[in-house]
Amino acid sequence: MILAAALSASAQPASVNFDPAAKVFRLDGGGTSYAFGVNAHGELQQLYWGGRLGAADTFPQAVPMPDWASFDSSYTNTPQEYAGWGAGLFVEPGLKVTWADGNRDLVLHYESHKLSANGVDVVLKDIKRPVYVTLHYAIDGETGILARSATIENRGTEAVTVEQAAAAAWTLPPASYTLNYLTGRWAGEWSLTQEALHPGARVIESRRGSTGHQANPWFAIQAGESSEDHGEVWFGALGWSGSWRITVEQDQLDEVKVTGGFNPFDFGYVLHPGQSLETPVFYGGHTAHGLGGASRLLHRFELAQILPRTAATAKQPLPKPRPVIYNSWEATEMNVNLAGQSALAEKAAALGIDRFVMDDGWFGQRKTDHAGLGDWYVNPEKFPNGLKPLIDKVHSLKMDFGLWVEPEMVNPDSDLYRKHPEWVLNFPGRPRNEQRTQLVLNLARPDVRAYVLGFLDKLLNENDIAFLKWDYNRNWSEPGWDQLPPTEQKKVYVEFTRNLYAILAELRHRHPNVEIESCSGGGGRVDLGILHYTDEVWPSDNTDPFDRLTQQDGFSYAYTPQVMMAWVTDSPHWLNHRATSLSYRMLSSMQGSLGIGANIGKWGDEEMATARRLIAAYHDVQPTIVQGDLFRLISPRDGSEFSATQTVSRDKGQSVVFAFVHSTQKGRLFPTLKLKGLDPAAQYALSAIEGKARTGTPAVASGAWWMNHGLDMDQEFRGDFQASAFRLDRK
Ligand code: GLA
């Protein structure tokens, strides 16, 4: 399990130095330097975070900020790496505690440190009492992205309650900034929200017990005129799938602090003598190449440092591109059975699908969403001989098999609930919210954890399952844990998520080739915590191909297209009743990790042929799309008539371009696409995956040509919901 911030060695080494005379720590990686030091008061003070400095450059000892009249003390003005709430701190603290005797003053000073090849652990201690905080720092040599977390330890003889614990606080110098963050709702995740930073605090958070659709734990802060392609951007993402909070605060002296970690709302974690609390990891990076540069760094970092490997890819620098899947959910909903699924599997195989996934409905007494969750036996009416006949059928068609589960939930109408009503989150004697007629199992309980791990392990032992779609279809309400003393119950916010990670880690350990998707009614649990244990995510239940363009655009600021599952479903779409061509739907989904989720049982020869052709074309260029450098050429946001993306493989040998027309007006032609990221001196051959380039476009031209002259779409690329795609291959 990932507990403290730790990164594996990357191809480019990181550099970590401590200057004992000046008491300054400096970490360098990629194009980034980060420095902090111990000031004369003993506080750990941030000194620098930005573009990489000269190897011989040094910092003098950190100088604390002065008092600002009698209202703001040096303690609150000094940009501390992790300030305790005490001594007149008015800005967001790193840590806030209450001791058993009611004392609530905490002032953390430097105590010691330990360097490693790519990071440092710095120990802070309260000036009077034996509370120790170890700040973990690691920097990725390739991207310069830092991983930071804290371990809070009670070495005293009295209990101390942690009321607020951040993973890290990041400081940016006074300047004018634009904050970017991601917001949404069910079926409407991943809206990029942009706003100027002003004095005061902007809070992005989830109080829901899980990551949430409504806000995602990612931020990017642009300096001044920074744009998609140019200018400084500081960005970060929190690795935590429970309630979280990121506070972006422009303080009284105009410095900007970004503090993130456990959500302090309803939080309380008692540390008895000798106990410690590990915070989530907060990742942060810097680029001079705009929002595009920020997401390219994050994508590389996620692929190399965050995503898990299977036994087959354990030694590979990158995980393998995702199999192209078929999922039966939109075709059959819960009406699954051997005959229906087998028929779909045959058609899926004919399309060139790699993996067949059976969704909800196969277990317990599951006919609607009113029953069955918790009873993870195969429904004997739907599958009289278990799953084996279907799995054998899928294998005979040269696909592997995946299965939907929702392990943390229970329907009141289930054998599990009848046996263990005490297993759910609730406050005794209070009414309970039953969203989707289901309750949340208290995964923080050791017996629930053992049950969930046990049934999943059994399922994987008894069946040849390559993949689990792990769903989570509601948020917490009434989050009581009445088996614990009242003072301990709020631990649920930490222990639930820790146990989720522990189960995922143990399952992967016992079944090292099983792959897992994180789904939560779409994109309700996507973050860098869950992505340590899951290979992909389901970004949204909204599969409308036009809506997906803006959702995928938003998603791509924070997460790599590798994890972005994108199904082609039926037209007109159930959500917006919009009709689109199959080719448009295919190309929209081909921007991420492609899947088919339509009722292919009804597809005729023409649709089968189009999908088969485009799946084959996708397979050919998939590594470039999902693991290359992504350039958002034209954003689909804000009602744009057009949108386009381009990806370039790491070695610049291949590039893939997608172009979409929403609805043109007054005969407007598609803008010339000036491509990016190619080798200017190399020759690239252009070929169409779908659609046509303008007559006269060269078949082969230099990278310089494609980047300076650009690529023009055919004049007929107009109207409503049109899509084209091209590939360029180095000669
Ligand atoms: C959630 C998922 C869907 C589907 C249903 C099944 O909504 O996001 O893809 O699996 O559950 O009930």
Side-chain angles (χ1 to χ4, degrees):
M1 259 220 294
I2 304 294
L3 286 178
L7 298 173
S8 47
S10 60
Q12 280 169 261
S15 142
V16 179
N17 290 291
F18 177 64
D19 175 347
K23 298 188 183 158
V24 169
F25 299 89
R26 179 171 156 185
L27 293 85
D28 299 87
T32 300
S33 296
Y34 189 88
F36 56 97
V38 183
N39 67 25
H41 299 161
E43 296 150 359
L44 206 60
Q45 182 175 341
Q46 201 252 23
L47 288 169
Y48 178 77
W49 185 24
R52 190 155 181 159
L53 303 172
D57 291 334
T58 55
F59 287 87
Q61 184 171 13
V63 180
M65 295 290 279
D67 289 352
W68 194 253
S70 55
F71 291 94
D72 285 305
S73 66
S74 165
Y75 188 73
T76 204
N77 292 336
T78 298
Q80 295 190 53
E81 287 289 280
Y82 200 82
W85 183 76
L89 184 84
F90 302 115
V91 292
E92 191 71 14
L95 184 63
K96 181 180 185 313
V97 302
T98 297
W99 268 272
D101 63 0
N103 176 66
R104 308 193 305 282
D105 187 55
L106 180 76
V107 176
L108 297 169
H109 280 183
Y110 168 84
E111 179 85 5
S112 64
H113 71 268
K114 200 164 166 235
L115 297 176
S116 67
N118 65 356
V120 59
D121 281 353
V122 183
V123 180
L124 309 178
K125 180 188 170 292
D126 178 60
I127 50 174
K128 296 272 188 201
R129 296 188 174 207
V131 161
Y132 288 76
V133 178
T134 304
L135 301 183
H136 309 282
Y137 293 82
I139 190 162
D140 177 35
E142 188 189 355
T143 61
I145 291 178
L146 288 127
R148 292 183 55 188
S149 67
T151 306
I152 302 138
E153 201 186 338
N154 177 7
R155 293 195 203 159
T157 53
E158 303 280 325
V160 57
T161 303
V162 176
E163 286 155 356
Q164 181 163 348
W170 309 93
T171 306
L172 277 55
S176 86
Y177 292 112
T178 302
L179 171 66
N180 297 261
Y181 57 105
L182 292 163
T183 59
R185 68 196 76 91
W186 174 79
E189 304 88 334
W190 313 112
S191 294
L192 185 74
T193 303
Q194 301 182 298
E195 66 195 23
L197 273 184
H198 294 295
R202 159 60 84 194
V203 172
I204 320 166
E205 66 173 349
S206 161
R207 298 180 176 190
R208 298 163 178 272
S210 63
T211 323
H213 303 75
Q214 294 71 13
N216 191 265
W218 166 88
F219 73 90
I221 297 178
Q222 298 171 268
E225 302 302 307
S226 166
S227 62
E228 175 68 17
D229 293 314
H230 304 287
E232 281 194 292
V233 179
W234 291 262
F235 56 94
L238 199 57
W240 187 241
S241 315
S243 291
W244 57 273
R245 190 169 91 175
I246 295 175
T247 303
V248 183
E249 180 182 27
Q250 185 176 321
D251 71 11
Q252 65 287 348
L253 297 181
D254 294 333
E255 275 185 336
V256 171
K257 283 193 177 54
V258 184
T259 310
F262 297 123
N263 195 325
F265 180 81
D266 197 36
F267 192 81
Y269 196 100
V270 180
L271 289 179
H272 295 283
Q275 290 186 336
S276 61
L277 172 65
E278 199 88 45
T279 72
V281 182
F282 201 175
Y283 301 91
H286 170 270
T287 177
H289 304 290
L291 287 171
S295 54
R296 285 187 289 279
L297 286 179
L298 255 178
H299 296 173
R300 285 187 177 212
F301 180 76
E302 288 157 359
L303 286 163
Q305 292 283 355
I306 300 286
L307 288 170
R309 302 289 186 274
T310 58
T313 59
K315 301 257 172 325
Q316 305 293 318
L318 301 179
K320 72 173 172 32
R322 312 308 308 138
V324 174
I325 65 139
Y326 177 76
N327 179 296
S328 61
W329 173 245
E330 290 197 20
T332 64
E333 297 203 331
M334 293 182 201
N335 297 321
V336 294
N337 56 43
L338 179 60
Q341 294 289 302
S342 300
L344 286 169
E346 278 181 17
K347 288 204 94 167
L351 292 174
I353 296 280
D354 306 307
R355 170 172 290 168
F356 183 86
V357 183
M358 177 159 68
D359 212 280
D360 196 351
W362 59 269
F363 54 90
Q365 293 305 310
R366 188 80 164 163
K367 296 190 181 72
T368 67
D369 60 15
H370 283 58
L373 285 174
D375 298 341
W376 297 102
Y377 61 85
V378 181
N379 181 290
E381 290 154 37
K382 298 178 182 182
F383 297 94
N385 298 309
L387 296 176
K388 192 165 187 308
L390 176 60
I391 296 176
D392 287 349
K393 171 83 182 174
V394 166
H395 288 167
S396 75
L397 293 163
K398 305 274 177 290
M399 298 181 290
D400 67 23
F401 180 76
L403 193 64
W404 182 96
V405 287
E406 192 175 0
E408 298 139 282
M409 299 287 169
V410 66
N411 287 118
D413 183 1
S414 67
D415 296 342
L416 182 70
Y417 183 75
R418 284 182 281 274
K419 194 165 161 209
H420 287 296
E422 76 285 8
W423 275 10
V424 299
L425 288 178
N426 79 114
F427 290 116
R430 304 285 305 169
R432 279 184 321 221
N433 266 287
E434 293 187 5
Q435 264 87 31
R436 214 191 191 207
T437 37
Q438 62 193 58
L439 297 163
V440 185
L441 289 173
N442 183 359
L443 202 62
R445 290 173 58 119
D447 46 6
V448 174
R449 167 179 160 165
Y451 170 78
V452 170
L453 176 62
F455 90 73
L456 288 167
D457 188 40
K458 184 162 177 281
L459 192 63
L460 296 176
N461 279 330
E462 290 176 354
N463 299 285
D464 193 350
I465 293 171
F467 168 81
L468 291 175
K469 172 177 171 178
W470 184 305
D471 213 335
Y472 183 87
N473 273 313
R474 59 161 294 183
N475 292 129
W476 293 8
S477 57
E478 305 93 19
W481 183 359
D482 62 309
Q483 292 79 19
L484 293 191
T487 50
E488 305 278 337
Q489 291 188 13
K490 291 177 181 173
K491 268 190 177 164
V492 69
Y493 286 102
V494 176
E495 303 305 314
F496 187 110
T497 305
R498 290 263 181 255
N499 280 350
L500 168 65
Y501 292 164
I503 293 167
L504 287 163
E506 183 59 24
L507 275 181
R508 296 196 77 109
H509 173 70
R510 293 189 197 171
H511 306 277
N513 275 317
V514 165
E515 298 181 329
I516 305 175
E517 174 178 283
S518 173
C519 172
S520 172
R525 195 153 65 186
V526 182
D527 59 79
L528 295 193
I530 203 83
L531 281 170
H532 270 296
Y533 308 99
T534 56
D535 307 83
E536 57 183 58
V537 301
W538 182 228
S540 182
D541 278 348
N542 183 353
T543 52
D544 177 307
F546 173 64
D547 283 13
R548 271 290 175 117
L549 294 182
T550 35
Q551 292 188 291
Q552 292 175 178
D553 175 76
F555 185 96
S556 75
Y557 286 90
Y559 303 104
T560 163
Q562 160 93 7
V563 303
M564 184 175 79
M565 301 310 290
W567 304 347
V568 173
T569 59
D570 286 312
S571 170
H573 194 265
W574 58 268
L575 191 66
N576 290 321
H577 310 304
R578 180 177 292 121
T580 51
S581 69
L582 180 57
S583 136
Y584 180 87
R585 281 175 273 149
M586 288 292 298
L587 266 56
S588 170
S589 293
M590 284 161 65
Q591 289 187 307
S593 284
L594 176 65
I596 306 287
N599 191 354
I600 51 176
K602 292 194 177 152
W603 278 11
D605 291 348
E606 202 182 316
E607 284 162 308
M608 291 294 286
T610 300
R612 190 182 312 116
R613 172 174 61 79
L614 289 172
I615 289 171
Y618 175 78
H619 270 135
D620 277 353
V621 291
Q622 185 182 2
T624 299
I625 294 172
V626 298
Q627 299 186 345
D629 280 330
L630 172 69
F631 297 89
R632 291 175 289 256
L633 299 180
I634 305 176
S635 167
R637 273 181 284 122
D638 305 324
S640 172
E641 277 170 78
F642 309 108
S643 70
T645 61
Q646 182 204 355
T647 42
V648 182
S649 63
R650 295 276 170 96
D651 66 358
K652 298 184 186 288
Q654 187 176 67
S655 181
V656 180
V657 178
F658 289 99
F660 299 90
V661 169
H662 173 204
S663 29
T664 47
Q665 296 182 47
K666 307 184 181 93
R668 223 148 76 96
L669 296 182
F670 201 93
T672 300
L673 293 177
K674 302 215 172 190
L675 303 188
K676 294 182 179 157
L678 302 173
D679 174 357
Q683 294 291 308
Y684 291 91
L686 177 80
S687 45
I689 294 171
E690 190 76 337
K692 280 198 295 190
R694 190 161 305 167
T695 308
T697 301
V700 178
S702 67
W705 168 280
W706 299 117
M707 292 194 288
N708 294 319
H709 174 279
L711 169 64
D712 286 306
M713 302 292 121
D714 185 55
Q715 277 101 320
E716 292 309 313
F717 192 51
R718 286 183 268 137
D720 294 342
F721 306 112
Q722 304 292 314
S724 289
F726 300 88
R727 57 185 280 182
L728 291 107
D729 292 275
R730 189 163 50 198
K731 296 282 283 177

